[in-house]
Structure formats: C-alpha cells, structure tokens
Amino acid sequence: MTPHAPTPRIAPSILSADFARLADEIAMCEAGGADWIHVDVMDGQFVPNITFGTKVIETVRKLTDLPLDCHLMIVQPERFFDDFAAAGASGLTIHAEVAPHLQRQLTRIRELGCRPGVAVNPSTPLTSVADVIADFDLLLVMTVNPGFGGQEFIPHSLDKIQRARILLAGAESRATLEVDGGISRATIGDCWRAGAEAFVAGNAIFSAKAPKAEIGILRDACAVSV
Ligand code: DX5
Ligand code: ZN
C-alpha cells in the first residue's frame, strides 16, 4: 500500500497570525517554505467562534500565490461557495456534519474550479464520507474539536488517521489526507507515520520563537524514524 505523498505538506493556519502584520506573516510563511496557507472560516454556529470570510480570503489572495486551503466551519456552506471561489480560494473543505447533500456540494465546489475537501470532527465516523470518496480530493481528519487554535492534539486520532489512509487506499483514491489541530513538533511525526500527508499548524508556527524556521522543523520531524 502506498503510504502517502513523498513529502509532507505544511499549511500554516492564519488563525494564529498577527492580523496587524498579516502581510509580513504571509511573507514569513512563504519564506519558510509553506506549501499552502490555511484559512479558517468560522460562523459562530457550527463552531463556538467567529473568524473571517470573503474579504480576508480576497486579502490573503493578493498577498501570496500559495494555494489557499479554506476550511469552512460554517453551516450551509454552499451559500458562500461562489463568493469564496471568486475571492481566490484554491480549496474549499466542508464539514460532513453540516453537509447533508455532500455529493452535490462537493461537485459544486469542483465545478467552481476549487479543490473539493471534506472534514470530519473527532466524533464523526469515517463512514460518513465513505460513499463520496470519488467526489473529494482532500480528506481532513480533525485532531481537535474545531473552533479555536492552540488546543491539545487528541491522541487517539492516530488510529483514525490510519483508518482514513486504509479507506482511501482501498478505494484507490488519490485524495490528500490532511490533519488539523494540535499539530506540533511533538505530534506531527506520528501523524505522518499514521498516513497523514498535509498538516495544518497554527500555534506551533506563529507562537514559535523562530516561526519561519519552525515550518522546516515540522517538515523534518516527519523524516525522523522511531
Ligand atoms: C481549529 C482550526 C485550526 C486551527 C489549528 O478549529 O481548524 O485550523 O487554526 O490551530 P492549532 O495548530 O494551533 O491547533
Ligand atoms: Zn482549520
């Protein structure tokens, strides 16, 4: 079984960035070798926090050519697909918990020219996405309950990451397996070895003493054998 992509993808989450210095923060991510910029859209309904929407996606789009990996923690996400695509989103990841018409919603994201992704909360079984594997290009396994940066990685997520990798391999899917929440030097290696290949990191990067170097340190941590 092919475990995963040959190199880890690191996606800094701007949720933890200093918004007064957003341009510098994005430039730092680029200089540090980030693969994607992760944009957390929250609505105060699906998750107990409100962040940002179209305007910020548009702003970040102007600041970088890196792909914008937009994670929609919002109810009825389809209301915003057109706006977010027009604002420059590269990928739109929606939550299975609030997407009863997942197949249609993912298809619409693809029609808009964005990479369709689906996310599952820690309590949501992988079976909720098993019948739409052909419709998504990214599977996001949440390793915290979404809503806030800086939370602790849930250790038994590792088992779920392994099962997600097996699910994708069994369906011969080339979808990227991403993890989000509590990813740090201490947790990223185990996630990589469990089969994850894209890593969202907020606090670990933006609160590091040397944020630019931390991006490479996280990537290198995947290469360490245990
Ligand atoms: C959590 C968000 C994450 C968050 C991760 O709800 O989806 O993307 O920014 O932050 P850290 O890496 O600090 O756990
Ligand atoms: Zn996220």
Side-chain angles (χ1 to χ4, degrees), residues 31-106:
D35 297 282
W36 304 337
I37 300 294
H38 185 81
V39 182
D40 286 305
V41 178
M42 304 186 190
D43 67 355
Q45 287 197 65
F46 177 56
V47 289
N49 193 9
I50 297 176
T51 55
F52 31 71
T54 309
K55 177 77 181 166
V56 166
I57 296 173
E58 236 169 46
T59 301
V60 179
R61 180 71 294 158
K62 286 182 197 147
L63 294 172
T64 181
D65 290 331
L66 288 178
L68 302 187
D69 176 37
C70 299
H71 177 192
L72 311 189
M73 287 158 277
I74 61 178
V75 300
Q76 298 179 318
E78 62 279 3
R79 291 175 299 160
F80 296 98
F81 289 168
D82 289 62
D83 287 354
F84 292 169
S90 312
L92 294 177
T93 298
I94 59 177
H95 268 264
E97 300 83 6
V98 283
H101 307 293
L102 205 42
Q103 197 278 335
R104 180 166 68 208
Q105 289 158 305
L106 291 166

Coordinates of all heavy atoms in Angstrom, one line a residue, residues 31-106:
A31 N 8.5 32.4 2.9 CA 10.0 32.3 3.1 C 10.4 31.0 3.8 O 11.4 30.5 3.6 CB 10.5 33.5 3.8
G32 N 9.5 30.6 4.7 CA 9.8 29.4 5.5 C 9.5 28.1 4.7 O 9.7 27.0 5.2
G33 N 8.9 28.2 3.5 CA 8.7 27.1 2.7 C 7.3 26.4 2.9 O 7.1 25.2 2.5
A34 N 6.3 27.2 3.3 CA 5.0 26.7 3.5 C 4.4 26.2 2.1 O 4.7 26.9 1.1 CB 4.0 27.7 4.1
D35 N 3.6 25.2 2.1 CA 3.1 24.7 0.9 C 1.7 25.3 0.6 O 1.4 25.6 -0.6 CB 2.9 23.2 1.0 CG 4.2 22.5 1.1 OD1 4.9 22.3 0.1 OD2 4.5 22.1 2.3
W36 N 0.9 25.5 1.6 CA -0.4 26.2 1.5 C -0.6 27.1 2.6 O 0.1 27.1 3.6 CB -1.5 25.1 1.6 CG -1.5 23.9 0.7 CD1 -0.8 23.8 -0.5 CD2 -2.1 22.6 1.0 NE1 -1.0 22.5 -1.0 CE2 -1.8 21.8 -0.1 CE3 -2.9 22.1 2.0 CZ2 -2.3 20.5 -0.2 CZ3 -3.3 20.8 1.9 CH2 -3.0 20.0 0.8
I37 N -1.5 28.0 2.4 CA -2.0 28.9 3.6 C -3.4 28.4 3.9 O -4.3 28.3 3.1 CB -2.1 30.4 3.2 CG1 -0.7 30.9 2.8 CG2 -2.6 31.2 4.3 CD1 0.4 30.9 3.8
H38 N -3.5 28.0 5.2 CA -4.8 27.5 5.7 C -5.7 28.7 6.3 O -5.2 29.4 7.1 CB -4.5 26.5 6.8 CG -5.7 25.7 7.3 ND1 -6.3 24.6 6.6 CD2 -6.5 25.9 8.4 CE1 -7.3 24.2 7.3 NE2 -7.4 24.9 8.4
V39 N -6.9 28.8 5.8 CA -7.8 29.9 6.1 C -9.0 29.3 6.8 O -9.8 28.6 6.2 CB -8.2 30.7 4.9 CG1 -9.0 31.9 5.3 CG2 -6.9 31.1 4.1
D40 N -9.2 29.6 8.1 CA -10.2 29.0 8.9 C -11.4 29.9 9.0 O -11.4 31.0 9.6 CB -9.7 28.8 10.3 CG -8.8 27.6 10.4 OD1 -9.2 26.5 10.0 OD2 -7.7 27.7 10.9
V41 N -12.5 29.6 8.3 CA -13.7 30.4 8.3 C -14.7 29.8 9.3 O -15.1 28.6 9.2 CB -14.3 30.4 6.8 CG1 -15.6 31.2 6.8 CG2 -13.3 30.9 5.8
M42 N -15.1 30.6 10.3 CA -16.0 30.1 11.3 C -17.2 31.0 11.5 O -17.0 32.3 11.3 CB -15.2 30.0 12.7 CG -14.0 29.2 12.7 SD -13.3 29.1 14.3 CE -11.7 28.3 14.0
D43 N -18.3 30.4 11.8 CA -19.5 31.2 11.8 C -20.2 31.4 13.1 O -21.3 32.0 13.2 CB -20.5 30.6 10.8 CG -21.0 29.2 11.3 OD1 -20.6 28.7 12.3 OD2 -21.9 28.7 10.6
G44 N -19.7 30.9 14.2 CA -20.3 31.1 15.5 C -21.5 30.2 15.6 O -22.2 30.3 16.7
Q45 N -21.8 29.3 14.7 CA -22.9 28.4 14.8 C -22.5 27.0 14.8 O -22.7 26.2 15.7 CB -23.9 28.6 13.6 CG -24.7 29.9 13.7 CD -25.9 29.8 12.8 OE1 -26.8 29.0 12.9 NE2 -25.9 30.7 11.8
F46 N -21.8 26.6 13.7 CA -21.2 25.3 13.7 C -20.1 25.1 14.7 O -20.0 24.1 15.3 CB -20.6 24.9 12.3 CG -20.0 23.6 12.2 CD1 -20.7 22.4 12.6 CD2 -18.6 23.5 11.8 CE1 -20.1 21.2 12.5 CE2 -18.0 22.2 11.8 CZ -18.7 21.1 12.1
V47 N -19.4 26.2 14.9 CA -18.3 26.2 16.0 C -18.5 27.4 16.9 O -19.1 28.4 16.4 CB -16.9 26.2 15.4 CG1 -16.6 24.8 14.7 CG2 -16.7 27.3 14.4
P48 N -18.1 27.4 18.1 CA -18.3 28.5 19.0 C -17.3 29.6 18.9 O -16.7 30.1 19.8 CB -18.2 27.8 20.4 CG -17.3 26.6 20.2 CD -17.5 26.2 18.8
N49 N -17.1 30.1 17.6 CA -16.2 31.1 17.4 C -16.5 31.7 16.0 O -17.0 31.0 15.2 CB -14.7 30.6 17.4 CG -13.7 31.7 17.5 OD1 -14.0 32.9 17.7 ND2 -12.4 31.3 17.3
I50 N -16.2 33.0 15.9 CA -16.4 33.7 14.6 C -15.1 34.2 14.1 O -14.3 34.8 14.9 CB -17.4 34.9 14.7 CG1 -18.8 34.4 15.2 CG2 -17.5 35.6 13.4 CD1 -19.8 35.5 15.4
T51 N -14.8 33.9 12.8 CA -13.5 34.5 12.4 C -13.7 35.4 11.2 O -14.0 36.6 11.4 CB -12.5 33.3 12.0 OG1 -13.1 32.5 11.0 CG2 -12.1 32.5 13.2
F52 N -13.5 34.9 10.0 CA -13.5 35.8 8.8 C -14.1 35.1 7.6 O -14.4 33.9 7.6 CB -12.1 36.3 8.5 CG -11.0 35.3 8.9 CD1 -10.8 34.2 8.1 CD2 -10.2 35.5 10.0 CE1 -9.8 33.2 8.4 CE2 -9.2 34.6 10.3 CZ -9.0 33.5 9.5
G53 N -14.3 35.9 6.5 CA -14.9 35.4 5.3 C -14.3 35.9 4.1 O -13.1 36.0 3.9
T54 N -15.1 36.2 3.1 CA -14.7 36.6 1.8 C -13.6 37.7 1.7 O -12.6 37.5 1.0 CB -15.9 37.1 1.0 OG1 -17.0 36.2 1.1 CG2 -15.6 37.3 -0.5
K55 N -13.8 38.7 2.5 CA -12.8 39.8 2.5 C -11.4 39.4 2.8 O -10.4 39.8 2.2 CB -13.3 40.9 3.4 CG -12.4 42.1 3.6 CD -12.6 43.0 2.4 CE -11.6 44.2 2.5 NZ -11.5 44.9 1.3
V56 N -11.3 38.5 3.8 CA -10.0 38.1 4.2 C -9.4 37.1 3.2 O -8.2 37.2 2.9 CB -10.0 37.5 5.7 CG1 -8.7 36.7 6.0 CG2 -10.2 38.6 6.7
I57 N -10.2 36.3 2.6 CA -9.7 35.4 1.6 C -9.2 36.2 0.4 O -8.1 36.0 -0.1 CB -10.8 34.4 1.1 CG1 -11.2 33.5 2.2 CG2 -10.4 33.6 -0.2 CD1 -12.4 32.6 1.9
E58 N -9.9 37.3 0.1 CA -9.5 38.2 -1.0 C -8.2 38.9 -0.7 O -7.3 39.0 -1.5 CB -10.5 39.3 -1.1 CG -11.2 39.5 -2.5 CD -12.4 40.4 -2.3 OE1 -12.3 41.5 -1.7 OE2 -13.4 40.1 -2.8
T59 N -8.1 39.3 0.6 CA -6.8 40.0 1.0 C -5.6 39.0 0.9 O -4.6 39.4 0.4 CB -7.0 40.5 2.5 OG1 -8.2 41.4 2.5 CG2 -5.8 41.2 3.0
V60 N -5.8 37.8 1.5 CA -4.7 36.9 1.5 C -4.3 36.5 0.1 O -3.1 36.3 -0.2 CB -5.0 35.6 2.4 CG1 -3.9 34.6 2.4 CG2 -5.4 36.1 3.8
R61 N -5.3 36.4 -0.8 CA -5.1 36.1 -2.2 C -4.1 37.1 -2.8 O -3.2 36.7 -3.6 CB -6.4 36.0 -2.9 CG -6.3 35.6 -4.4 CD -6.0 34.2 -4.7 NE -4.6 33.8 -4.3 CZ -4.2 32.6 -4.1 NH1 -5.0 31.6 -4.2 NH2 -2.9 32.4 -3.7
K62 N -4.3 38.3 -2.4 CA -3.4 39.4 -3.0 C -2.0 39.3 -2.5 O -1.1 39.8 -3.1 CB -4.0 40.8 -2.7 CG -5.2 41.1 -3.6 CD -5.7 42.5 -3.3 CE -7.2 42.7 -3.7 NZ -8.0 43.6 -2.9
L63 N -1.9 38.7 -1.3 CA -0.6 38.7 -0.6 C 0.3 37.5 -1.0 O 1.5 37.5 -0.7 CB -0.8 38.7 0.9 CG -1.4 39.9 1.5 CD1 -1.8 39.7 3.0 CD2 -0.5 41.1 1.4
T64 N -0.2 36.5 -1.7 CA 0.6 35.3 -1.9 C 0.0 34.5 -3.1 O -1.2 34.6 -3.4 CB 0.6 34.4 -0.7 OG1 1.4 33.2 -1.0 CG2 -0.8 33.9 -0.3
D65 N 0.9 33.8 -3.8 CA 0.5 32.9 -4.8 C 0.3 31.5 -4.3 O -0.1 30.6 -5.1 CB 1.5 32.8 -6.0 CG 1.5 34.2 -6.7 OD1 0.5 34.8 -6.8 OD2 2.6 34.5 -7.3
L66 N 0.6 31.2 -3.0 CA 0.4 29.9 -2.5 C -1.1 29.5 -2.5 O -1.9 30.4 -2.4 CB 0.9 29.9 -1.0 CG 2.4 29.9 -0.8 CD1 2.7 29.9 0.7 CD2 3.1 28.8 -1.5
P67 N -1.3 28.2 -2.7 CA -2.7 27.8 -2.6 C -3.4 28.2 -1.3 O -2.8 28.0 -0.2 CB -2.6 26.3 -2.8 CG -1.3 26.0 -3.4 CD -0.4 27.1 -3.0
L68 N -4.6 28.6 -1.4 CA -5.4 28.9 -0.1 C -6.3 27.8 0.2 O -7.3 27.5 -0.5 CB -6.2 30.2 -0.3 CG -5.4 31.5 -0.7 CD1 -6.3 32.7 -0.7 CD2 -4.2 31.7 0.2
D69 N -6.0 27.1 1.3 CA -6.7 25.9 1.7 C -7.8 26.4 2.7 O -7.5 26.6 3.9 CB -5.6 25.0 2.4 CG -6.1 23.8 3.1 OD1 -7.1 23.2 2.5 OD2 -5.6 23.4 4.2
C70 N -9.0 26.6 2.2 CA -10.0 27.2 3.0 C -10.9 26.2 3.7 O -11.5 25.3 3.1 CB -10.9 28.1 2.2 SG -9.9 29.5 1.4
H71 N -10.9 26.2 5.0 CA -11.6 25.3 5.9 C -12.9 25.9 6.4 O -12.8 26.9 7.2 CB -10.6 24.9 7.0 CG -11.2 24.0 8.1 ND1 -10.5 23.7 9.3 CD2 -12.3 23.2 8.1 CE1 -11.2 22.9 10.0 NE2 -12.3 22.6 9.3
L72 N -14.0 25.5 5.9 CA -15.3 26.1 6.2 C -16.0 25.5 7.4 O -16.6 24.4 7.3 CB -16.2 26.1 5.0 CG -15.6 26.6 3.7 CD1 -16.6 26.7 2.6 CD2 -14.8 27.9 3.8
M73 N -15.9 26.1 8.5 CA -16.6 25.6 9.7 C -17.8 26.4 9.9 O -18.0 27.2 10.8 CB -15.6 25.7 11.0 CG -14.5 24.7 10.9 SD -13.1 25.2 11.9 CE -12.3 26.3 10.7
I74 N -18.7 26.2 8.9 CA -19.9 27.0 8.9 C -21.1 26.1 8.4 O -20.9 25.1 7.7 CB -19.8 28.2 7.8 CG1 -19.5 27.7 6.4 CG2 -18.7 29.1 8.3 CD1 -19.4 28.8 5.4
V75 N -22.3 26.5 8.9 CA -23.5 25.8 8.4 C -23.9 26.2 7.0 O -23.5 27.4 6.6 CB -24.7 25.9 9.4 CG1 -24.3 25.4 10.8 CG2 -25.1 27.4 9.5
Q76 N -24.6 25.4 6.3 CA -25.0 25.7 4.9 C -23.8 26.4 4.1 O -24.0 27.5 3.6 CB -26.2 26.6 5.0 CG -27.4 26.0 5.6 CD -28.6 26.9 5.7 OE1 -28.5 28.1 6.0 NE2 -29.7 26.4 5.4
P77 N -22.7 25.7 4.1 CA -21.5 26.3 3.4 C -21.8 26.7 2.0 O -21.1 27.6 1.4 CB -20.5 25.2 3.5 CG -21.2 23.9 3.7 CD -22.5 24.3 4.5
E78 N -22.7 26.0 1.3 CA -23.0 26.3 -0.1 C -23.4 27.7 -0.4 O -23.2 28.2 -1.5 CB -24.0 25.3 -0.7 CG -25.4 25.3 -0.1 CD -25.5 24.6 1.2 OE1 -24.5 24.0 1.7 OE2 -26.7 24.6 1.8
R79 N -23.9 28.4 0.6 CA -24.3 29.8 0.5 C -23.1 30.7 0.1 O -23.2 31.8 -0.5 CB -24.8 30.4 1.8 CG -26.2 29.8 2.2 CD -26.6 30.3 3.5 NE -25.6 30.0 4.5 CZ -25.5 30.6 5.7 NH1 -26.2 31.6 6.0 NH2 -24.6 30.1 6.6
F80 N -21.9 30.2 0.4 CA -20.7 31.0 0.2 C -19.7 30.5 -0.9 O -18.7 31.1 -1.1 CB -19.9 31.2 1.5 CG -20.8 32.0 2.5 CD1 -21.5 31.3 3.5 CD2 -20.9 33.3 2.4 CE1 -22.3 32.0 4.4 CE2 -21.6 34.0 3.4 CZ -22.3 33.3 4.3
F81 N -20.0 29.3 -1.5 CA -19.1 28.7 -2.5 C -18.7 29.7 -3.6 O -17.5 29.9 -3.9 CB -19.7 27.5 -3.1 CG -19.8 26.3 -2.2 CD1 -20.5 25.2 -2.6 CD2 -19.2 26.2 -1.0 CE1 -20.7 24.1 -1.8 CE2 -19.3 25.1 -0.1 CZ -20.1 24.0 -0.6
D82 N -19.7 30.4 -4.2 CA -19.4 31.3 -5.3 C -18.5 32.4 -4.8 O -17.5 32.8 -5.5 CB -20.6 31.8 -5.9 CG -21.4 30.7 -6.7 OD1 -21.8 29.7 -6.0 OD2 -21.5 30.8 -7.9
D83 N -18.8 33.0 -3.7 CA -18.1 34.2 -3.2 C -16.6 33.8 -2.9 O -15.7 34.5 -3.2 CB -18.7 34.7 -1.9 CG -20.0 35.5 -2.2 OD1 -20.3 35.6 -3.4 OD2 -20.7 35.8 -1.2
F84 N -16.5 32.6 -2.2 CA -15.1 32.2 -1.8 C -14.3 31.8 -3.0 O -13.1 32.1 -3.0 CB -15.2 31.1 -0.8 CG -15.8 31.5 0.6 CD1 -16.1 30.5 1.5 CD2 -16.0 32.8 0.9 CE1 -16.6 30.8 2.8 CE2 -16.5 33.1 2.2 CZ -16.9 32.1 3.1
A85 N -14.9 31.2 -4.0 CA -14.2 30.8 -5.2 C -13.7 32.1 -5.9 O -12.6 32.3 -6.3 CB -15.0 30.0 -6.1
A86 N -14.6 33.1 -6.0 CA -14.3 34.3 -6.7 C -13.3 35.1 -5.9 O -12.4 35.8 -6.5 CB -15.6 35.2 -6.9
A87 N -13.2 35.0 -4.6 CA -12.2 35.7 -3.8 C -10.9 35.1 -3.9 O -9.9 35.7 -3.5 CB -12.7 35.6 -2.3
G88 N -10.8 33.9 -4.5 CA -9.4 33.3 -4.7 C -9.1 32.0 -3.9 O -8.0 31.6 -3.9
A89 N -10.1 31.4 -3.3 CA -9.9 30.2 -2.6 C -9.4 29.1 -3.6 O -9.9 29.0 -4.7 CB -11.2 29.7 -1.9
S90 N -8.4 28.3 -3.2 CA -8.0 27.2 -4.0 C -8.7 25.9 -3.7 O -9.1 25.2 -4.6 CB -6.5 27.0 -3.8 OG -5.8 28.2 -3.9
G91 N -8.9 25.7 -2.4 CA -9.6 24.5 -1.9 C -10.7 25.0 -1.0 O -10.5 25.9 -0.2
L92 N -11.8 24.3 -1.1 CA -12.9 24.5 -0.1 C -13.2 23.2 0.6 O -13.6 22.3 -0.1 CB -14.2 25.1 -0.8 CG -14.1 26.5 -1.5 CD1 -15.4 26.8 -2.2 CD2 -13.7 27.5 -0.4
T93 N -13.0 23.2 1.9 CA -13.2 22.0 2.7 C -14.5 22.2 3.5 O -14.5 23.2 4.3 CB -12.0 21.6 3.5 OG1 -10.9 21.4 2.7 CG2 -12.3 20.4 4.4
I94 N -15.5 21.4 3.4 CA -16.7 21.5 4.2 C -16.8 20.4 5.2 O -16.2 19.3 5.0 CB -17.9 21.5 3.2 CG1 -18.0 20.3 2.4 CG2 -17.8 22.8 2.3 CD1 -19.3 20.2 1.5
H95 N -17.6 20.6 6.2 CA -17.7 19.6 7.2 C -18.9 18.6 6.9 O -20.0 19.1 6.6 CB -17.9 20.2 8.6 CG -16.6 20.4 9.3 ND1 -16.1 19.6 10.2 CD2 -15.7 21.4 9.2 CE1 -15.0 20.0 10.7 NE2 -14.7 21.1 10.0
A96 N -18.6 17.3 7.0 CA -19.6 16.3 6.8 C -20.8 16.5 7.7 O -22.0 16.2 7.3 CB -19.0 14.9 7.0
E97 N -20.6 17.0 8.9 CA -21.6 17.2 9.9 C -22.7 18.2 9.5 O -23.8 18.1 10.0 CB -21.1 17.6 11.3 CG -20.0 16.7 11.9 CD -18.6 16.9 11.3 OE1 -18.4 17.8 10.5 OE2 -17.7 16.1 11.6
V98 N -22.4 19.1 8.6 CA -23.3 20.1 8.2 C -23.6 20.1 6.7 O -23.9 21.1 6.1 CB -22.9 21.5 8.7 CG1 -23.2 21.7 10.2 CG2 -21.5 21.8 8.4
A99 N -23.3 18.9 6.1 CA -23.4 18.9 4.7 C -24.3 17.6 4.3 O -23.7 16.6 3.9 CB -22.1 18.8 4.0
P100 N -25.6 17.7 4.5 CA -26.4 16.5 4.2 C -26.4 16.1 2.7 O -26.6 15.0 2.4 CB -27.8 16.9 4.6 CG -27.8 18.4 4.6 CD -26.4 18.8 4.9
H101 N -26.1 17.1 1.8 CA -26.0 16.7 0.4 C -24.6 16.8 -0.1 O -24.2 17.6 -1.0 CB -26.9 17.7 -0.4 CG -28.3 17.7 0.2 ND1 -29.2 16.7 0.1 CD2 -29.0 18.7 0.9 CE1 -30.3 17.0 0.7 NE2 -30.2 18.2 1.2
L102 N -23.8 16.1 0.6 CA -22.3 16.1 0.5 C -21.9 15.9 -1.0 O -21.1 16.7 -1.5 CB -21.7 15.1 1.3 CG -20.3 15.2 1.8 CD1 -19.9 16.6 2.3 CD2 -20.0 14.2 3.0
Q103 N -22.5 15.0 -1.7 CA -22.1 14.7 -3.0 C -22.4 15.9 -3.9 O -21.5 16.3 -4.7 CB -22.9 13.5 -3.5 CG -22.3 12.8 -4.8 CD -22.7 13.5 -6.1 OE1 -23.7 14.2 -6.1 NE2 -21.8 13.4 -7.1
R104 N -23.5 16.5 -3.8 CA -23.9 17.7 -4.6 C -23.0 18.9 -4.2 O -22.5 19.6 -5.1 CB -25.3 18.1 -4.4 CG -25.7 19.3 -5.2 CD -27.2 19.4 -5.2 NE -27.8 19.8 -4.0 CZ -29.1 19.5 -3.6 NH1 -29.8 18.8 -4.4 NH2 -29.5 19.8 -2.4
Q105 N -22.7 19.1 -2.9 CA -21.9 20.2 -2.5 C -20.5 20.1 -3.0 O -19.9 21.0 -3.5 CB -22.0 20.3 -1.0 CG -23.4 20.8 -0.5 CD -23.7 20.4 0.9 OE1 -23.6 19.2 1.3 NE2 -24.0 21.4 1.7
L106 N -19.9 18.9 -2.9 CA -18.5 18.7 -3.4 C -18.5 18.9 -4.9 O -17.5 19.4 -5.4 CB -18.1 17.3 -3.0 CG -17.9 17.1 -1.5 CD1 -17.7 15.6 -1.1 CD2 -16.6 17.8 -1.0

